[in-house]
Amino acid sequence: MALQALVIILLVLFVLLALGVPISYAIGISALAAIVQTMSLDVSVVTAAQRTFVGMSKFSLTAIPFFILAGNLMNQGGIAKRLVDFVNALLGRLPGSLLVTNVGANALFGAISGSASAAAAAVGNMVAEGEEEQGYDKALCAAANGASAPSGLLIPPSNALITYSLVSGGTSVAALFLAGYIPGIIWAVCCMVVAVILAKKKGYVGAKGSFSFARLGKATLRAIPALSLIVVVIGGIVGGIFTATEGSAIAVVYALILGLLYKNITWQSFKEIMVESAKMSGMIVFLIGVSNILSWVMAFTQIPQAISAVLLGITQNKYILLLIMNVILLVAGTFMDVTPAILIFTPLFLPIAESFGMSPVHFGLMLVYNLCIGNITPPVGNTLFVAIKVGKTTLAKTLPYMLLFYGAIILGLLAVTYIPAVSMILPQIAGLG
């Protein structure tokens, strides 16, 4: 029964996606098609409706719309320029200073806004003029911008990690948030190393003059209000002062106040932000709801147990099993967005990972890190295409540089996968591991 249900789900899902059906409907219909094989149509439809409602009615889901709203307020709040100035003051003496600044600012802005594409657009536009004036290769700039933007999705607050927490059965959000810092930094550092190497090869120098603590201090003061959002929200969640849901509401208030103080949010723009946030939130919450049907079908037909038996029949070596899972996720990530991929693959692979003693927190960071690579990999690769558009170049010119960034980022993935301390050391220090 498990094999039959899995074949039906995958076949229907891929056919619907190939026809251009939205991922939410494709997941729901494929799950319903599998249910019909085991019970009557009327019972199947009622069961699917019940599971959708249950999936959407979890209180912890409220954190996602709030963090989306906070991110959109930050996008309009005029913080990108302050973050670019801060990173440039800190790292601007390195070869290819604008490339390095782009990478560092993407990590910070992506963490605050919760969107890799928003980071690539906002930060990329901020440094584009300087890169053009200094004669930087447009394709290299687009590659550095696109490759580094997803690093912010690992650094909390992260909607991807909240989604994983829900699907994995309630893994601690605080632990996941703390676990995300080092993998996110590793991603950014990998991109910086590649950027510096390529900059030196092309003869791009750092900013002129000596390092200035005065300039860094001024830039830091301008950036502190934006950076404080991360400190306030994550500190409160980890410290047990408030929950992730309450923290998301505080993030909205903080972002709104900051935008008003910077005078970048008007009544008209606020209405547009609210509408856009509602649309995005509705899409994600509905997707989580219909994915609950899929999770139930998998549990009912024992698909995870069947997949586990197949993989364990191939090898008992956990390192090889993790490699197989990573390869599957890398391939799937090139065709799917992060959220639906988390919803589909968590119930499939998490039981296998737990069977050989892997922490759900560690697995969650490996999963999200891996799937974020899909954000910058064709044919989907939304963030990469945003960076290419901002950089006014083409995919053909950008891909040769991207291959080097892919190699460095995948080395980071291997570190996250095979060195548990990379993800677990901060949660363990905080007593959450």
Side-chain angles (χ1 to χ4, degrees), residues 17-203:
L17 290 177
L19 293 174
V21 176
I23 184 70
S24 300
Y25 298 116
I27 290 175
I29 293 171
S30 61
L32 184 60
I35 297 178
V36 172
Q37 305 303 310
T38 60
M39 57 184 71
S40 63
L41 180 61
D42 56 342
V43 176
S44 299
V45 172
V46 171
T47 302
Q50 288 176 335
R51 300 319 303 174
T52 301
F53 179 78
V54 169
M56 295 170 61
S57 61
K58 297 174 182 177
F59 178 72
S60 52
L61 266 179
T62 312
I64 292 178
F66 276 131
F67 275 128
I68 289 172
L69 177 55
N72 285 337
L73 288 169
M74 281 289 187
N75 290 345
Q76 296 290 327
I79 67 169
K81 180 66 167 62
R82 290 168 170 81
L83 294 178
V84 168
D85 290 343
F86 168 69
V87 176
N88 193 37
L90 184 65
L91 303 173
R93 299 302 178 273
L94 292 174
S97 57
L98 291 178
L99 296 176
V100 175
T101 296
N102 195 161
V103 172
N106 270 345
L108 293 176
F109 190 79
I112 292 171
S113 69
S115 170
S117 295
V123 177
N125 276 315
M126 287 292 168
V127 299
E129 184 178 348
E131 289 171 336
E132 189 171 348
E133 288 177 354
Q134 296 184 32
Y136 279 45
D137 184 331
K138 289 184 177 181
L140 173 55
C141 295
N145 185 27
S148 59
S151 62
L153 299 182
L154 293 161
I155 302 172
S158 167
N159 288 329
L161 293 177
I162 294 174
T163 302
Y164 170 77
S165 171
L166 292 167
V167 184
S168 64
T171 304
S172 168
V173 173
L176 288 168
F177 277 7
L178 278 179
Y181 279 107
I182 295 178
I185 292 171
I186 285 176
W187 185 309
V189 169
C190 287
C191 291
M192 282 187 187
V193 169
V194 174
V196 169
I197 291 173
L198 291 175
K200 291 184 72 173
K201 184 177 179 180
K202 288 181 171 290

Side-chain angles (χ1 to χ4, degrees), residues 304-318 321 324-325 351-353 355-356:
Q305 291 89 329
I307 292 176
S308 178
V310 170
L311 291 180
L312 291 174
I314 296 173
T315 178
Q316 296 286 328
N317 188 311
K318 69 177 183 179
L321 287 171
I324 292 172
M325 284 190 278
I352 302 173
S355 70
F356 50 75

